[in-house]
Amino acid sequence: MDLQLQTPGAFSAFPYQPPYPIQVDLMRHLYTSIEQKAVTIVESPTGTGKTLTLLCASLTWLMDEKNRARKGKMKAVAGGDGVDAKDWVMEQTLARVRREMEADEREYEENLARARKREEQLRRMANGRMSKRAKYADSSNHESGGSSRKKKTVVDEDNDDAFLPEDDTVDDGGEHISPELRALMEKVERVQRSRHLNDDEEEIPCTKIYYASRTHSQLTQVLPELGKLNIKNSVSITNHHPTKTLPSKRPAGDDEDEEAVTTKQFRAVSLGSRKQLCINDELKAKSRDLDEACRELLGEKAGKRCQYLPPPGEEVAMIDFRDQILASPKDIEDLAEAGRLSNICPYFGSRKAISQAELVTLPYNLLLQKSAREALGINLKDQIIVIDEAHNLIPTLLSLSTTKLPFSALSTSLQQVAAYVQKFRTRLSAANMLHLKRLGVFLDALKKAVLHWRTERLAALAAPVGKSQRPDKAEVMTLVEFMGKLGKKASSINLLEVEGYLKKSKIARKIAGYSDKQAEKDVDPKSATHKSKRGTLPPLHSVEDFMLSLSNSNDDGRVTFTLVESAGQEPTVELKYQLLNPAPNFMEVVEEARSVVLAGGTMSPVSDVINQLIQTFSCGHVIPEENLQTMVVTRGPKGGDLDFKAGRWQSDPTVIAELGQILYNYTCVVPAGMVVFVPSYSFLNTAKDIWTKNKTLDRFGSKKTVFFEPQESVDVDIVLRDYAKAAQETSVDKKGGALLFAVIGAKLSEGLNFADDLARAVVIVGLPFPNLGSPELRERMKYVKMLEEKASDGKDRFTKTNGKKDAAAELYENMCMNAVNQSIGRAIRHRNDWATLLLLDRRYATSSIRSKLPKWIGSKLTVNEVFGQTIKELAAFSARRKQVPPLS
């Protein structure tokens, strides 16, 4: 029997029939990639149904894979293809196996059906019970809360046993459970197993799809698309009788073989942070760091734990809530609401649901960070990974491998460790004392090295030298150079061993707790300045993260010392570890997973991802070619070259003044909304000043209502709402539409839709190259160039980038164009949309830059050397498109 899955020619689950040809091509490519266990890059422009096609292809494969697993099990029972089909014993065995699989699936579906009913009942009862529950809770708190508070004050303040290290701590997946509570858990678990629960069977993980994106707002689009799919839940298990099938659900007493087909409802779970899912309002109101406060409550004894967590060992309520989560797809808001209805923590409930989910949505960091996966119990072995908005992948990987250590945290940690050792030295075991002394030596050496560097750097900055010779306020060094600054005694310490001790003993929280207690003795509790430190992140945790980074060090790691100056305060230093190579963290995911799909609306240029991390697929756009006009504008109205390099516009005000005239000409012919992206906030602020003085802003205002990207994120929604309203209005004085100025790579350049009249033209001004003054960027460019040189000698797995530029220049250019392409992608959001893309800078005409533009622009790009021709073509295009009826 051939168990190889053949790629379908059509996808019946797709809700809109027939799909566009490019959608079929994309789904076939994805299905084949998953089956062949490949890593693939997919470029699917916004408006082509990217999320829907990703889900349809991957979940179709998942259903086919489940059927293949059933067939494989039947084949194994039958002993292979050579078994005599007339063997009645074998027939009976196969029939029994079929019935068992049927029963298992039917029982699980019935559990989920009961969970849906429970949830509906809770929802109906919620309004009627809300006031009663609140009243009861208030009275209970008054009766029991006072006594608990009294008990807390009766506790012996001199009893410091709670601050001793936990030598015998049992590893519980990153969350603390005391030995007494764990013993209770085991006792209750035995009782549960005597009931209908069988944890060993229920917790067997199933093949699943992990769907990751950068933000939770982007993930909220996934579940509505999931609900549109028409995947049928049919079970067909072929044995040695090819005409016989196994129904997915058979009525009791019906012994005939038939195939039952129902609409498939996938088990899905959304993973979020404590901040998003915590329903303990009292804890959220009092905590400085919610994660830390939650962990503290987990370590409390019975009666002091969070009221939304079932007592340790009483897993029945949590398992019921898990089934409720899986019974119907829920986004983050739905999960929080379900938790409140059930009085069960949705943060831990969602994690309980992971093993049985078929689709898991989660943000980048929870998927790509090994420590996060371990804490959640995520096992990527043979699973499918879909990473949407993957153009952010490399920056995300680099940021996840970056740890910062402020000097204040370092200094405080050293003080706390010294005070703790002094207090408990007679009560600590020899092993504890050894580890803590090593920690103290390392912290002391690190503090001295930082202070010495700060003194030298301040002196160098104060020295009377030329501007070109003035040292940077930051210094990047290799791990060898960094450890050399600490001295022989500190550099000889096994940091991995010390970090392991910190993690196992949870000593950071013990030390911080003891220090806080000592500090509170010197403060009047009634004082207005007194603040509870509950939920404060122990400073030693920052040291622990930094040490872990150093202990995993290799030639790709760098440590940066940065001088931080604040008005009225003495300059301080921040330490930062960063990994220049994004590949190791990503390769851990690739090596574990069955298949990895990197998807984005605009993935170009992809050479960085291919070289540093891979088969690629880029589909066209669903719009007709005539709906898109793309022009490179190389010359201004006066005939001069358009070049918006930083040095040029900063030194010559006429450059921005001419840009104002160009944009005014565009406002005269572009209908409705027009979005202009500029290279930086500095450029935007300079332009506003110049245009205010020469009255250009008034001229803009005579044609369109003018808006600017706000500095604060909280104001974004207000600006967008007002812009959308103005873009679709035309006043009696011939003023029509709106003009929005935004910054490439900032708040409005990614994740927002400027569909239809919100963007009939998108103008890109200049190229936003990163700041070469950044020591970290220079170090990274030097690093990739070094890798290229190794590759040319055949000593490294990296291959040299095609083209004339070296790897550093290619990286620098790609970082720029990735930001540009995300801004370009804000327009053209569906099949009937149309817009003009105007690229203002002569550098866009070069072959190197043009090759890095989105592939869906294709042959529509033209280069205009005469500015008047641009205005003529722009006006003709806009007039022509307004006359064309939408496609059906």
Side-chain angles (χ1 to χ4, degrees):
M1 183 191 303
D2 184 12
L3 294 181
Q4 180 73 27
L5 295 180
Q6 299 301 315
T7 302
F11 290 81
S12 59
F14 200 77
Y16 308 113
Q17 295 292 335
Y20 301 130
I22 59 172
Q23 292 174 329
V24 176
D25 292 342
L26 173 56
M27 288 188 286
R28 285 178 53 81
H29 173 81
L30 285 169
Y31 190 102
T32 303
S33 298
I34 295 173
E35 177 62 15
Q36 295 179 353
K37 303 182 178 182
V39 179
T40 183
I41 299 176
V42 171
E43 185 176 62
S44 177
T46 302
T48 57
K50 171 169 58 72
T51 303
L52 197 57
T53 51
L54 289 172
L55 289 173
C56 185
S58 56
L59 290 171
T60 297
W61 179 89
L62 187 64
M63 290 296 293
D64 292 346
E65 161 66 12
K66 292 176 75 173
N67 275 327
R68 173 168 59 182
R70 296 185 185 104
K71 293 175 183 178
K73 184 173 182 178
M74 296 296 292
K75 178 181 176 181
V77 171
D81 296 329
V83 176
D84 184 359
K86 296 181 180 180
D87 187 340
W88 68 271
V89 176
M90 182 56 66
E91 287 188 5
Q92 291 295 320
T93 302
L94 292 174
R96 176 179 56 78
V97 172
R98 286 198 301 271
R99 288 194 298 271
E100 289 174 353
M101 286 191 286
E102 275 190 293
D104 290 342
E105 293 190 6
R106 186 165 58 247
E107 181 181 3
Y108 196 86
E109 290 300 325
E110 288 172 353
N111 285 341
L112 296 185
R114 284 194 294 269
R116 280 190 287 272
K117 289 182 180 179
R118 284 197 303 271
E119 183 176 25
E120 184 58 32
Q121 290 171 352
L122 287 171
R123 203 178 301 279
R124 287 198 303 265
M125 296 166 59
N127 292 334
R129 295 177 57 187
M130 190 64 68
S131 58
K132 181 177 180 181
R133 183 183 300 157
K135 183 177 180 180
Y136 175 78
D138 288 341
S139 62
S140 298
N141 289 337
H142 284 303
E143 293 173 5
S144 61
S147 60
S148 64
R149 284 191 295 270
K150 289 178 182 178
K151 289 180 182 178
K152 188 172 183 179
T153 58
V154 173
V155 173
D156 184 4
E157 293 186 356
D158 294 328
N159 184 5
D160 294 326
D161 290 347
F163 302 120
L164 290 172
E166 297 183 16
D167 295 329
D168 301 322
T169 298
V170 180
D171 184 9
D172 53 27
E175 304 291 358
H176 169 64
I177 298 176
S178 67
E180 294 83 3
L181 295 181
R182 183 167 294 279
L184 179 60
M185 287 175 61
E186 293 174 354
K187 180 179 178 181
V188 176
E189 184 178 9
R190 288 193 295 270
V191 176
Q192 291 172 351
R193 287 181 177 176
S194 66
R195 299 170 60 187
H196 68 280
L197 297 175
N198 190 327
D199 292 342
D200 292 337
E201 291 181 1
E202 289 206 8
E203 294 303 322
I204 296 175
C206 61
T207 303
K208 56 179 58 62
I209 297 163
Y210 288 97
Y211 195 109
S213 193
R214 189 170 63 91
T215 65
H216 285 288
S217 61
Q218 292 165 337
L219 289 171
T220 57
Q221 305 170 18
V222 177
L223 294 186
E225 297 296 287
L226 174 67
K228 298 177 182 178
L229 296 179
N230 297 320
I231 291 183
K232 301 302 180 182
N233 187 19
S234 62
V235 182
S236 177
I237 303 177
T238 304
N239 57 13
H240 58 284
H241 288 299
T243 60
K244 290 199 173 186
T245 58
L246 174 68
S248 60
K249 195 169 184 179
R250 182 184 311 195
D254 187 356
D255 295 328
E256 294 183 4
D257 286 323
E258 60 181 8
E259 183 171 342
V261 180
T262 59
T263 301
K264 169 66 177 176
Q265 181 164 285
F266 286 97
R267 302 191 299 273
V269 62
S270 302
L271 300 184
S273 64
R274 283 180 171 89
K275 183 178 180 180
Q276 294 167 313
L277 291 174
C278 179
I279 58 175
N280 189 333
D281 296 328
E282 182 181 358
L283 185 68
K284 289 193 292 185
K286 294 182 178 180
S287 303
R288 300 186 188 181
D289 186 287
L290 187 59
D291 288 332
E292 185 61 24
C294 179
R295 294 187 187 102
E296 288 178 4
L297 278 186
L298 289 172
E300 295 285 2
K301 295 182 180 180
K304 295 183 180 181
R305 283 164 56 91
C306 178
Q307 65 266 36
Y308 296 105
L309 274 178
E314 295 185 12
E315 292 292 292
V316 177
M318 186 61 81
I319 289 175
D320 286 344
F321 185 57
R322 176 204 67 183
D323 290 344
Q324 184 179 329
I325 291 172
L326 296 174
S328 59
K330 296 175 176 62
D331 61 19
I332 296 299
E333 289 74 19
D334 295 333
L335 268 177
E337 181 186 2
R340 291 185 184 279
L341 288 174
S342 302
N343 280 322
I344 301 289
C345 175
Y347 176 79
F348 287 101
S350 61
R351 277 139 182 78
K352 186 73 174 175
I354 292 174
S355 66
Q356 291 302 300
E358 295 166 307
L359 175 67
V360 180
T361 65
L362 70 172
Y364 279 176
N365 60 310
L366 297 184
L367 174 73
L368 299 174
Q369 209 165 16
K370 184 177 181 180
S371 59
R373 294 198 303 272
E374 290 177 346
L376 295 173
I378 290 177
N379 183 1
L380 299 182
K381 183 67 175 176
D382 295 329
Q383 308 297 336
I384 298 98
I385 310 298
V386 178
I387 300 178
D388 203 355
E389 302 298 329
H391 58 274
N392 289 305
L393 182 60
I394 289 181
T396 300
L397 287 166
L398 292 173
S399 67
L400 290 176
S401 59
T402 299
T403 55
K404 296 181 179 180
L405 177 60
F407 180 75
S408 58
L410 169 62
S411 181
T412 302
S413 296
L414 180 58
Q415 294 173 4
Q416 290 185 350
V417 170
Y420 182 86
V421 171
Q422 181 64 30
K423 169 66 178 179
F424 294 99
R425 62 190 311 155
T426 59
R427 302 174 63 184
L428 293 171
S429 66
N432 277 307
M433 280 298 297
L434 178 62
H435 286 303
L436 289 173
K437 283 184 177 180
R438 289 173 176 171
L439 177 61
V441 168
F442 177 79
L443 293 175
D444 183 58
L446 185 55
K447 181 179 179 180
K448 289 178 179 177
V450 170
L451 292 175
H452 180 71
W453 181 88
R454 185 184 69 172
T455 300
E456 288 189 337
R457 190 53 50 114
L458 287 174
L461 288 169
V465 295
K467 186 175 180 180
S468 60
Q469 298 175 325
R470 189 173 298 279
D472 291 330
K473 292 183 179 180
E475 180 183 355
V476 182
M477 60 196 77
T478 65
L479 270 297
V480 174
E481 294 168 341
F482 168 73
M483 297 305 291
K485 289 181 177 292
L486 302 184
K488 292 183 178 180
K489 190 173 181 180
S491 59
S492 64
I493 294 174
N494 186 333
L495 296 181
L496 188 60
E497 187 176 308
V498 176
E499 192 279 331
Y501 165 75
L502 292 173
K503 184 176 182 179
K504 180 181 178 182
S505 65
K506 297 179 175 59
I507 194 68
R509 192 173 293 118
K510 304 288 186 178
I511 292 175
Y514 171 73
S515 299
D516 292 344
K517 177 182 175 181
Q518 294 304 110
E520 288 175 359
K521 287 182 177 181
D522 302 327
V523 178
D524 183 1
K526 298 181 181 180
S527 171
T529 59
H530 174 72
K531 293 183 179 179
S532 171
K533 292 193 175 184
R534 183 169 185 81
T536 303
L537 192 69
L540 200 53
H541 275 335
S542 298
V543 174
E544 187 177 344
D545 292 340
F546 190 72
M547 292 177 69
L548 179 61
S549 298
L550 296 176
S551 64
N552 292 332
S553 64
N554 51 43
D555 293 340
D556 303 331
R558 297 292 185 273
V559 176
T560 303
F561 283 19
T562 304
L563 199 63
V564 180
E565 297 178 306
S566 300
Q569 296 183 3
E570 185 179 358
T572 185
V573 178
E574 181 183 72
L575 286 74
K576 180 168 68 175
Y577 172 87
Q578 63 178 146
L579 196 62
L580 300 178
N581 183 4
N585 288 342
F586 183 66
M587 290 310 296
E588 289 180 357
V589 174
V590 172
E591 290 169 0
E592 284 289 310
R594 175 191 178 92
S595 178
V596 178
V597 179
L598 307 180
T602 303
M603 292 297 295
S604 304
V606 298
S607 59
D608 287 337
V609 180
I610 295 172
N611 290 340
Q612 297 182 49
L613 295 178
I614 311 181
Q615 172 179 39
T616 68
F617 179 90
S618 178
C619 70
H621 215 298
V622 295
I623 62 167
E625 284 194 359
E626 57 269 20
N627 281 26
L628 177 66
Q629 180 186 53
T630 306
M631 292 186 284
V632 174
V633 185
T634 62
R635 296 180 185 274
K638 297 179 181 179
D641 287 341
L642 292 181
D643 188 342
F644 295 99
K645 290 179 180 177
R648 191 161 182 261
W649 63 260
Q650 288 171 345
S651 60
D652 187 358
T654 62
V655 173
I656 290 182
E658 184 179 29
L659 173 64
Q661 179 61 44
I662 292 172
L663 296 178
Y664 174 75
N665 290 337
Y666 290 159
T667 62
C668 295
V669 295
V670 173
M674 175 172 146
V675 183
V676 179
F677 286 100
V678 299
S680 64
Y681 280 110
S682 175
F683 186 104
L684 183 60
N685 293 332
T686 301
K688 286 169 67 174
D689 291 341
I690 293 174
W691 292 339
T692 299
K693 292 176 182 178
N694 64 16
K695 306 298 183 181
T696 298
L697 280 183
D698 294 337
R699 298 180 69 200
F700 289 158
S702 68
K703 295 296 180 181
K704 294 181 181 295
T705 306
V706 182
F707 298 88
F708 292 93
E709 178 170 318
Q711 294 282 351
E712 301 297 330
S713 298
V714 293
D715 298 326
V716 168
D717 288 342
I718 298 174
V719 171
L720 288 177
R721 183 189 61 213
D722 293 344
Y723 168 75
K725 182 179 178 182
Q728 300 174 38
E729 290 181 347
T730 301
S731 61
V732 293
D733 58 358
K734 296 183 180 180
K735 177 179 177 180
L739 173 62
L740 174 63
F741 287 94
V743 176
I744 300 173
K747 305 176 187 69
L748 303 183
S749 66
E750 185 176 339
L752 296 176
N753 295 341
F754 292 104
D756 301 318
D757 283 346
L758 297 187
R760 290 307 183 192
V762 173
V763 183
I764 308 294
V765 179
L767 284 90
F769 283 102
N771 180 17
L772 277 175
S774 166
E776 289 91 349
L777 177 59
R778 292 200 303 268
E779 192 66 26
R780 191 177 168 207
M781 292 175 67
K782 184 168 69 174
Y783 170 78
V784 297
K785 192 170 183 178
M786 176 268 293
L787 290 179
E788 181 187 48
E789 292 171 353
K790 284 186 177 181
S792 64
D793 296 334
K795 297 179 181 179
D796 197 277
R797 64 182 178 86
F798 288 85
T799 57
K800 187 173 181 178
T801 306
N802 294 329
K804 296 180 180 180
K805 289 186 174 65
D806 62 32
E810 190 77 9
L811 170 67
Y812 188 58
E813 199 170 83
N814 286 350
M815 292 174 71
C816 166
M817 291 307 296
N818 273 321
V820 168
N821 290 343
Q822 292 311 305
S823 299
I824 288 175
R826 296 314 93 211
I828 310 293
R829 311 304 287 184
H830 58 84
R831 190 185 185 196
N832 289 315
D833 207 354
W834 58 270
T836 297
L837 304 178
L838 295 161
L839 308 175
L840 271 59
D841 199 298
R842 63 179 179 81
R843 291 172 289 177
Y844 281 110
T846 63
S847 59
S848 174
I849 295 296
R850 288 179 63 176
S851 67
K852 292 179 171 62
L853 289 168
K855 304 303 179 187
W856 48 268
I857 288 179
S859 60
K860 298 303 294 181
L861 185 143
T862 61
V863 178
N864 287 343
E865 298 288 345
V866 179
F867 181 77
Q869 184 66 23
T870 302
I871 296 295
K872 182 179 178 180
E873 292 181 11
L874 177 58
F877 173 79
S878 299
R880 186 168 62 250
R881 293 316 310 164
K882 286 191 290 186
Q883 303 296 324
V884 177
L887 297 170
S888 58

